[in-house]
Amino acid sequence: MLDSAFVSYVTVMSITPGPNNLLLASSGVNFGLRRTLPMLFGICVGCAVQLAIIIPLLALALSWAGVIRLPLAVIGCAYLLWLSWKLFQAASPDAKEQAQPMSLLNGALFQAVNPKAWLMVINVAILFTPREGATFVHTLSVIAGFALLNLPCVLLWAVLGDRLRNALRVTWKLRVFNGAMSGLMAATALIKQTPKPSEQDIAAAMVNLCRCGTYNAIAAAVRQVAQG
């Protein structure tokens, strides 16, 4: 049964910062809301596919969790670091001419290496699957409920990015924004891979972030999150 606990969990996990929402906000700033919509729908489709796989195969997924955790974490973190670098470069004049927003398919495929997406869907499957097992109707209801809650949450980030476009039309402002977003993306990868990072680890992961007023605040936030 999908109760208030389900609504609360999915909403909180969907609306809080993470790789998907950082990418959506950045895409909204760089490309606008309309061109960001395919990626947004792709994210929703990707999460729905994950749920469709995980819920019926929950026992198998849990048994393999220890085996696939490290390879998935390494691949996911490497991809997040690559995305952070591409995002950092997005404000240069040459990059703006060549840049394209993420497509629906790419948005869906990104969930395969998104650590937060896997954490979210596995927890949904564990917490909200009946003890007697998931029926086809239950699986569909979870997917539908998840999509209805997830879509407006991720849409909010794309809209916020789109609304920031006018304020960030100056190249240096856009570079600062993209630098901040890429730094946060790199920090996400760092904390997933190294739960207790040192000062050197943080500095190395955020090498793309300009040493402006935002750097110290972001670095301090990373330290605070890592320390719990």
Side-chain angles (χ1 to χ4, degrees):
M1 181 178 178
L2 307 185
D3 54 13
S4 59
F6 176 86
V7 173
S8 176
Y9 178 80
V10 174
T11 300
V12 170
M13 289 296 289
S14 297
I15 206 168
T16 49
N20 285 336
N21 291 336
L22 292 177
L23 284 175
L24 286 168
S26 299
S27 182
V29 166
N30 288 282
F31 304 111
L33 179 61
R34 185 179 62 82
R35 297 182 69 192
T36 299
L37 288 178
M39 179 175 71
L40 186 150
F41 291 126
I43 288 171
C44 295
V45 169
C47 289
V49 171
Q50 285 176 308
L51 282 169
I53 295 171
I54 291 296
I55 292 176
L57 302 176
L58 180 58
L60 181 62
L62 291 177
S63 68
W64 277 88
V67 177
I68 66 173
R69 181 184 179 279
L70 181 59
L72 182 63
V74 171
I75 295 171
C77 290
Y79 188 60
L80 288 179
L81 289 172
W82 179 80
L83 280 177
S84 72
W85 173 246
K86 297 295 287 184
L87 184 56
F88 177 71
Q89 294 180 308
S92 66
D94 293 338
K96 285 182 72 66
E97 293 178 1
Q98 302 173 5
Q100 293 292 330
M102 193 177 286
S103 67
L104 187 149
L105 178 60
N106 288 337
L109 292 176
F110 175 59
Q111 305 318 299
V113 293
N114 183 352
K116 184 181 179 183
W118 282 112
L119 173 67
M120 182 165 54
V121 299
I122 289 175
N123 281 345
V124 165
I126 292 172
L127 295 173
F128 303 105
T129 298
R131 291 187 177 182
E132 61 272 17
T135 64
F136 180 71
V137 173
H138 172 81
T139 301
L140 286 182
S141 66
V142 169
I143 293 173
F146 185 96
L148 288 173
L149 294 168
N150 180 251
L151 180 60
C153 292
V154 295
L155 177 61
L156 176 63
W157 284 82
V159 170
L160 289 174
D162 181 67
R163 293 295 179 267
L164 281 172
R165 291 194 82 194
N166 290 332
L168 299 174
R169 289 191 180 278
V170 181
T171 299
W172 72 265
K173 292 182 180 180
L174 184 59
R175 183 173 289 280
V176 169
F177 174 83
N178 285 336
M181 292 294 102
S182 67
L184 290 171
M185 188 81 71
T188 300
L190 171 67
I191 292 175
K192 291 294 182 183
Q193 185 68 19
T194 310
K196 299 293 182 182
S198 64
E199 293 289 337
Q200 292 76 14
D201 292 329
I202 295 174
M206 295 182 17
V207 67
N208 296 335
L209 186 58
C210 67
R211 265 52 177 176
C212 57
T214 60
Y215 177 86
N216 290 333
I218 293 176
V222 173
R223 285 192 295 271
Q224 185 176 354
V225 170
Q227 292 167 2

